[in-house]
Amino acid sequence: MGAGAAQRVAGAVGAFLEGPVPVRIRAWDGSEAGAAPGPGVPTVVLRSRRALRRLLWEPGEMGLAHAYVSGDLDVDGDLAEGLSAMWALVNSGTITKRRPGARELPGLAAQAVRLGLLGTRPAPPPEAIRIKGRLHSKRRDRAVIAHHYDAGNAFYSLLLDDSMAYSSGYWTSEDSTLEQAQRDKLDLVCRKLDLAPGRRLLDIGCGWGSLAVHAAREFGAQVRAVTISREQRDQVNARIRAEGLAGQVQVDLLDYRDVAEKITAVDGPFDAVSAIEMGEHVGDAHYPVFAATLHGALRPGGRALVQQMSRGANAPGGGAFIETYVTPDMVMRPVGDTLTFLQRSGLEVRDVHVMREHYVPTIRAWLATLEERFDEAVGLLGERGARMWRLYLAGGALAFEENRMGVDQILLVRPTDRGRSGMPATRDDWSVRAPSGAGTPGS
């Protein structure tokens, strides 16, 4: 009896490695080969020959992503655990590449023919997009945001909690729910900004209004919010009407680069300014304008809070998959580089709160909801779209857990002409405490 497809694949892969193939392979004909099944050994499921062609044409992250999103490749069992195991194998140094010898090449070519690898390059799934136009022009930025939110309010309502917060929560207890973690995050932001009845907040990149609504409803603030997503603007307006906050919250469809002229010059200055996971979309060339917008919108003594994703000095940040499928043009830099941009605008950095570990349970809660309601997600996004989101969330949680990506809350103040900040001497005024004896993410 001849060898199955899995044995042929394992043999071909093994020719490029020192040592045995470290994963289990299950092929389209039902055959299996490679590492013996067991804990920590992921099983890669090749559902068609096209998966191999994708990997041949684009070895690495993008070939795997295209194959997974299209359904040509799968990981048996829990996707996050499988990704973690494969990443651990790569980082452990146990996988060593080698160059096949000249005598091996004819046999490898014959295997390629038997496996059906020869052929044209498979087209990427339509969910992989290419954004046109000048980098970070207003038109291109609108196209990027429109792409990411094309999933629609119905999908985000399925995925997120009732607050519609699409950013890291703040987990004050291991027993917290996602809803409580998001509420604690919103409370933390409002306390850091010293919001109170009648104080005025400008929320730049307001998402679905989680902070704007919370600041108005729970702290009595007057809120002006801006977004460049029509889907979000319409959803926030519906929330404002539903909660009777029309007199306290106003949301505008406006680019941050127009805030100085159309809002600050007319209705400013504000007591506080926020930008929750919006600065990643600005880019290095335009970040000085973004920072100047924050500074210019504040009264002397006013506070700004930027919650923003970051990366380590030698970490890749979002990577090719996010750039291609999720949010093109996203820029993650080491947090110190972002602080330099903000300080050059005239803002004073008062506190940097590293929240990397808090994003792990946040994303895993979203992923658990997606898995529980996967059929509904398929109905809204299609099979490929739902698979893309599953891969995005599973990989995102892993990136934060393994310190390849981070997220930080940066509290800033615009000092007065005499250098006074008006800040309290301690953090007690804004702390959101965990219940006594409860553990929290990180340390």
Side-chain angles (χ1 to χ4, degrees), residues 154-214:
F155 171 71
Y156 287 100
S157 295
L158 176 153
L159 185 72
L160 307 177
D161 70 294
D162 289 344
S163 75
M164 293 294 287
Y166 185 39
S167 55
S168 177
Y170 183 55
W171 298 76
T172 59
S173 166
E174 292 178 353
D175 298 325
S176 290
T177 62
L178 175 63
E179 291 78 6
Q180 185 62 49
Q182 293 293 9
R183 181 181 179 87
D184 285 345
K185 186 270 300 296
L186 297 171
D187 272 349
L188 183 65
V189 170
C190 292
R191 290 172 185 271
K192 286 182 177 181
L193 290 173
D194 197 26
L195 296 183
R199 293 195 178 163
R200 302 176 67 239
L201 168 67
L202 173 64
D203 187 22
I204 301 177
C206 66
W208 285 277
S210 59
L211 177 59
V213 168
H214 189 83

Side-chain angles (χ1 to χ4, degrees), residues 27-38:
W28 54 88
D29 62 354
S31 60
E32 295 191 20

Side-chain angles (χ1 to χ4, degrees), residues 4 13 15 57 221 272 280 303 335:
V13 171
W57 280 97
E280 304 89 339
R303 301 181 193 179
V335 64

Side-chain angles (χ1 to χ4, degrees), residues 299-361:
R299 62 168 176 80
R303 301 181 193 179
L305 187 136
V306 175
Q307 180 170 313
Q308 188 169 311
M309 285 181 271
S310 58
R311 63 171 178 83
N314 299 311
F321 169 71
I322 287 179
E323 280 283 313
T324 303
Y325 279 94
V326 188
T327 49
D329 305 339
M330 177 181 280
V331 174
M332 297 181 197
R333 67 181 73 83
V335 64
D337 294 350
T338 295
L339 298 183
T340 299
F341 278 123
L342 293 166
Q343 288 173 314
R344 285 175 178 166
S345 75
L347 294 168
E348 181 184 20
V349 177
R350 299 295 305 196
D351 188 76
V352 179
H353 186 169
V354 178
M355 296 178 61
R356 174 175 64 84
E357 289 93 345
H358 293 260
Y359 230 147
V360 179

Side-chain angles (χ1 to χ4, degrees), residues 42-65:
T43 297
V44 177
V45 182
L46 305 172
R47 300 201 179 279
S48 74
R49 291 177 173 83
R50 190 167 54 245
L52 297 175
R53 287 203 295 273
R54 291 189 185 280
L55 295 173
L56 181 66
W57 280 97
E58 291 188 84
E61 179 180 350
M62 287 316 301
L64 287 167

Side-chain angles (χ1 to χ4, degrees), residues 61-328:
E61 179 180 350
M62 287 316 301
L64 287 167
H66 292 333
Y68 182 82
V69 172
S70 65
D72 296 329
L73 178 146
D74 232 321
V75 176
D76 205 17
D78 185 275
L79 177 61
E81 290 181 3
L83 291 174
S84 181
M86 286 189 283
W87 189 260
L89 286 168
V90 171
N91 283 343
S92 67
T94 58
I95 301 176
T96 305
K97 296 179 182 178
R98 63 181 286 266
R99 184 185 296 275
R103 294 182 179 180
E104 297 173 275
L105 294 178
L108 289 172
Q111 290 283 38
V113 172
R114 293 190 191 99
L115 290 168
L117 292 183
L118 304 182
T120 58
R121 179 175 184 160
E127 287 71 18
I129 65 163
R130 292 185 180 275
I131 299 293
K132 298 179 180 179
R134 181 169 50 87
L135 182 64
H136 289 299
S137 66
K138 291 180 181 179
R139 177 177 294 180
R140 179 170 171 136
D141 281 356
R142 284 195 300 270
V144 168
I145 293 301
H147 162 73
H148 190 50
Y149 299 109
D150 273 349
N153 292 336
F155 171 71
Y156 287 100
S157 295
L158 176 153
L159 185 72
L160 307 177
D161 70 294
D162 289 344
S163 75
M164 293 294 287
Y166 185 39
S167 55
S168 177
Y170 183 55
W171 298 76
T172 59
S173 166
E174 292 178 353
D175 298 325
S176 290
T177 62
L178 175 63
E179 291 78 6
Q180 185 62 49
Q182 293 293 9
R183 181 181 179 87
D184 285 345
K185 186 270 300 296
L186 297 171
D187 272 349
L188 183 65
V189 170
C190 292
R191 290 172 185 271
K192 286 182 177 181
L193 290 173
D194 197 26
L195 296 183
R199 293 195 178 163
R200 302 176 67 239
L201 168 67
L202 173 64
D203 187 22
I204 301 177
C206 66
W208 285 277
S210 59
L211 177 59
V213 168
H214 189 83
R217 185 183 61 215
E218 305 298 330
F219 287 78
Q222 295 286 326
V223 184
R224 192 76 181 269
V226 299
T227 177
I228 59 173
S229 166
R230 292 184 182 276
E231 290 269 350
Q232 290 181 336
R233 190 270 313 270
D234 294 345
Q235 179 85 353
V236 180
N237 277 330
R239 291 186 69 182
I240 291 169
R241 291 191 296 269
E243 301 209 26
L245 296 172
Q248 280 184 262
V249 183
Q250 177 182 338
V251 59
D252 297 293
L253 194 66
L254 193 69
D255 190 280
Y256 74 91
R257 284 160 285 200
D258 297 322
V259 163
E261 177 186 356
K262 296 186 178 179
I263 292 183
T264 304
V266 178
D267 296 326
F270 291 82
D271 299 297
V273 180
S274 56
I276 307 300
E277 295 184 27
M278 178 269 177
E280 304 89 339
H281 303 287
V282 172
D284 285 343
H286 293 274
Y287 209 90
V289 175
F290 173 68
T293 299
L294 302 178
H295 179 274
L298 283 172
R299 62 168 176 80
R303 301 181 193 179
L305 187 136
V306 175
Q307 180 170 313
Q308 188 169 311
M309 285 181 271
S310 58
R311 63 171 178 83
N314 299 311
F321 169 71
I322 287 179
E323 280 283 313
T324 303
Y325 279 94
V326 188
T327 49

